[in-house]
Amino acid sequence: MSARIVAVLNQKGGVGKTTTSVNLTHALAKLGKKITVIDFDPQSHLAVSLGVVDPQKSGIDRVLLEGVSLAQQLISVRKNLNLVVAGPRLQEIEQLMDGGARSGDLLRKALLDGHRDEDFIFIDCPPSSGVLVANALFAADEILVPMTSDYLALQGLSHLMGTIKKFESALKRPYKISLVMSRYIPTRRISKEVLSVIQKYFPGQILATTIRETALLAECPSFGKTIFEYRPGCRSARDFTALAKDFLEGRMM
């Protein structure tokens, strides 16, 4: 059985995409799932967060630009968890406009070329709507949308859903879409109000566990550690373990 391919996507920055990608994939790996996570953002924050900081190390850039096999670019970063870094040339993909639809289909073709034995491939997307995001959407079976609970995030979500609908129409298939409430502050009225609005418009699509805002999650990347290594047993670690179980079991609010 082939791996489930999940794009972690939100065109708005600062919503916790990379925090979710890092800690959710490690949580799933700790539960025994075999995971590959692709750093698809030229800023390379995912790799840095997992302790891989060589800025010249090639990765998914060579896979897409030179046809190198994905298997050659895998780095084992934790038990059951492999990483493909962005690589210094990933930004060049955005310049491949002359290829039209072909330039948007590079990642899907690379992933077709020999799945190994992963359960999941996660793609940590950049906060944009260019060729890189098009590649992620062509390749993915499902989309995980990290959301913050503020009104600007609601506007961003509306724009994102419009983009997703266009791809569904072009590809003639629906995505499985799940939302995760990240950076949630349960004591703020605005947080509860925004969550209520999202529940109204996306019933049965919001993962049951909210990821509560803590300084610890912001501190982890500077040490190249996930929350499970930086402060095992803390509230945030418990949140991400619960979220991983929600994700596997399809448990929604």
Side-chain angles (χ1 to χ4, degrees), residues 58-69 72-73 89 92-93 96 106:
S58 70
I60 198 68
D61 58 342
R62 284 194 68 203
V63 175
L64 302 187
L65 292 166
E66 300 174 27
V68 171
S69 109
Q72 289 179 261
Q73 303 299 85
R89 296 180 59 204
E92 292 177 30
I93 300 293
L96 293 180
L106 297 169

Side-chain angles (χ1 to χ4, degrees), residues 218-247:
E219 292 164 10
C220 294
S222 59
F223 296 92
K225 292 183 175 181
T226 72
I227 193 65
F228 302 103
E229 298 155 337
Y230 184 64
R231 195 64 60 84
C234 73
R235 186 177 73 177
S236 297
R238 295 196 304 273
D239 282 354
F240 270 105
T241 298
L243 185 73
K245 291 174 181 173
D246 294 342
F247 182 78

Side-chain angles (χ1 to χ4, degrees), residues 195-224:
L195 178 55
S196 176
V197 171
I198 296 170
Q199 284 177 303
K200 178 182 173 185
Y201 288 102
F202 299 94
Q205 289 183 282
I206 308 164
L207 288 164
T209 302
T210 56
I211 302 300
R212 292 164 287 184
E213 174 85 301
T214 65
L216 292 174
L217 287 170
E219 292 164 10
C220 294
S222 59
F223 296 92

